[in-house]
Amino acid sequence: MKHITIKDVAKRLNCSVSTISRAFNDKYDIRKETRELILNTAREMGYSPNPMAKRLLKQCSNQIGVVVPEFINPFFPEVIIGIQEVFLKKGYQVLIMQSNESYNNELENVKAMENNMVDGLILSLSLETKNVEYYQNLIAQGFPLVLFNRVSNQLETHKVVIDDYKWAFFATEHLIYQGYKKIFHFSGPAGLTFTQNRKNGFIDAHRKHKLAIDQHTIIETGLMISDGEREMEKLIQNNNIPDAIFAVNDPTAIGAMKILKKNGLKIPGDVALVGFTESQLAQLVDPPLTSVAQPTKEIGRTAARLLLDQIESKGIFVPQTVVLNGRLNVRESSMKL
Amino acid sequence: MKHITIKDVAKRLNCSVSTISRAFNDKYDIRKETRELILNTAREMGYSPNPMAKRLLKQCSNQIGVVVPEFINPFFPEVIIGIQEVFLKKGYQVLIMQSNESYNNELENVKAMENNMVDGLILSLSLETKNVEYYQNLIAQGFPLVLFNRVSNQLETHKVVIDDYKWAFFATEHLIYQGYKKIFHFSGPAGLTFTQNRKNGFIDAHRKHKLAIDQHTIIETGLMISDGEREMEKLIQNNNIPDAIFAVNDPTAIGAMKILKKNGLKIPGDVALVGFTESQLAQLVDPPLTSVAQPTKEIGRTAARLLLDQIESKGIFVPQTVVLNGRLNVRESSMKL
DNA sequence: TAAATTTCCGGAATCGTTTCCGGAAAATAA
DNA sequence: TTATTTTCCGGAAACGATTCCGGAAATTTA
């Protein structure tokens, strides 16, 4: 129950606490035999240094924090695995929290991370996050912060993203090349940067091919399966059914797919579908879903490496935005029969 | 950059640190105006108490830890959401780590949690974990620990599970009632308690209905989609194809489904499938997968409440195993045509 | 008015470490 | 043998808070 402290060991061996500390930390300034003796009896007594005290003194923890909006969808868990890969090797512990897409939770999570004196933070902003002042201060203070996926251009720090514009453009063009005319876009929540980028890609692909877009072509949804379901149901009720849908992510595409199938509509015969952010799901649903693959683990690894560099360099750092490459995985859901 | 400490505030106001501390903590022993003044200038100076110092003194953190084997499959993330629901309301922060199914990682994670002085821990054991001595010590020391899903009967502490035996029995019986004769079981890794329980349910359902089982009926797989794929491929190669499969979980069932479809076999026409631990996936795959639903969030909430009780009571506690109810969701994959 | 009580605050110990400083003993150099 | 350097260790300050103890000033009671 009672924790064994350095003093207990010192008392037992009749020596000073500084000697004990030296045995655990220094390489010199202590006789080899003394060191051995101390280490042995310490182990025997079950002593290990209290990291809380150490942190108070050293002001760093060998821990890094990760705060993500959710992990119901497989995207964030996969990124986290990439992050852990890098940090565990380096002897860092990775603390994870999720904001549940709430700004307040996110802020509290970040503060909790600070309280744990994490040496750095990897963050993906929640849907609600508009005010990034707190993070601006953090950065201004020199606190190592890396953003990914849900980033903000008001924050001048390391970022890891993929070229959402480009891949949305390609995905849309793919549908156009397949011969689909009436293509809708299930767009993400308006606040997110990638929503805007993917939407622009969608629009510009239409421009390039001289296809008209009206105000009903782009439909703002959320990011979950249920959001895709809801919007698809509305479309069917209004009897406003497109040839094809380019969805902002896989879950919304899959939500649409569910409702289409329930209503007896064939995919891709009646409506073709393309998702984004390839997940396990894309290959499992029937028909398999065409999707833009994001290199999830690589995103994690990259963010981790950027953070690690910043932590270890301690010097002036130049905010860097790494744009990773995606890939369009063409599957049955978007093929012209 | 430099943190503002209680001393800075004391110096500024020309008073002692204890007075500052009182302003932040006490309700009495300080004049109202002094208190106001201190709180105001403290805020103005951007001071907030250093939690690390507080923890060192108080020996508790208002944080709890969660260590899970993985979160690629949706099961654990959902449980965690339930856990957070309970703790966030109570003002606790929830720290999450994943062991990646490795015993060493798990142990390091648990130790890292201890180093953060979490007030309690919710744990689900990794595949590799055989030696639970460390956790036994933890429990013996009175450290609040709650297990769920992957539990060990060598640990006398709170546990949250569902009745795996019963629901495996029902699931198997369901297949028997549908008229399937040659029913195989994709069993989980041998070390896990629930593997054994689900296997026994499978066996006893056969006994009850006087159906024979031979040594090839039960096939040990892993827990991931790829494990299901691998074993199914073997069966097809050996031309040893059952009427139906009861899989230890959804991912293995879905893995089998993928391979069956790829080989042109109809589900449930040629092979019927039943999974376990209902996930999002079950409804999304084609055909929809019959599965035993576990109340994931409720598992989380229950574990959280048990832990909270133990933390707050501080008294003698009686290890309690809560068995939650499941449900068999019958879908197309197991229907006799 | 004197004595007793209350109010409010400062000093110092404490939590468990690390690390700087200095000093005795041992080893080396003169 | 004496002077200098090295080796090894103890003491104490520091990290940033909380809290017990005690004491001066203000207030109440006798």
Side-chain angles (χ1 to χ4, degrees), chain B residues 15-16 18-19 22 29-31 34 57 59:
Chain B
C15 69
S16 76
S18 43
T19 307
R22 261 191 288 267
D29 241 34
I30 188 167
R31 199 169 50 199
T34 320
L57 206 54
Q59 312 273 17

Side-chain angles (χ1 to χ4, degrees), chain B residues 133-270:
Chain B
E133 204 181 327
Y134 190 85
Y135 308 129
Q136 283 170 335
N137 285 334
L138 235 46
I139 294 167
Q141 283 166 30
F143 185 85
L145 178 66
V146 176
L147 298 177
F148 73 95
N149 187 259
R150 312 270 197 94
V151 303
S152 159
N153 48 21
Q154 294 173 63
L155 292 173
E156 294 196 1
T157 187
H158 288 324
K159 294 170 196 170
V160 183
V161 292
I162 75 159
D163 194 334
D164 292 293
Y165 171 83
K166 182 172 92 179
W167 291 102
F169 188 98
F170 286 171
T172 310
E173 214 171 24
H174 160 70
L175 287 171
I176 295 171
Y177 284 141
Q178 294 286 314
Y180 296 104
K181 301 288 181 205
K182 186 179 176 185
I183 307 172
F184 279 14
H185 177 40
F186 278 11
S187 173
L192 300 177
T193 314
F194 72 65
T195 291
Q196 198 56 49
N197 292 338
R198 293 180 195 173
K199 194 197 291 182
N200 288 341
F202 175 81
I203 293 172
D204 286 359
H206 279 72
R207 286 224 181 99
K208 177 181 168 189
H209 293 272
K210 314 246 187 282
L211 291 168
I213 290 184
D214 69 21
Q215 71 215 49
H216 302 108
T217 306
I218 295 173
I219 300 161
E220 189 179 322
T221 69
L223 293 174
M224 309 304 273
I225 291 179
S226 56
D227 298 311
E229 291 176 353
R230 180 174 20 80
E231 295 306 325
M232 196 66 236
E233 263 166 1
K234 278 196 215 159
L235 289 181
I236 290 178
Q237 273 182 0
N238 298 339
N239 201 23
N240 180 22
I241 298 172
D243 294 344
I245 298 172
F246 166 55
V248 67
N249 67 358
D250 280 8
T252 52
I254 287 167
M257 183 183 282
K258 263 178 84 173
I259 298 303
L260 285 167
K261 280 160 78 171
K262 201 160 97 183
N263 285 272
L265 290 161
K266 296 287 172 233
I267 302 160
D270 295 314

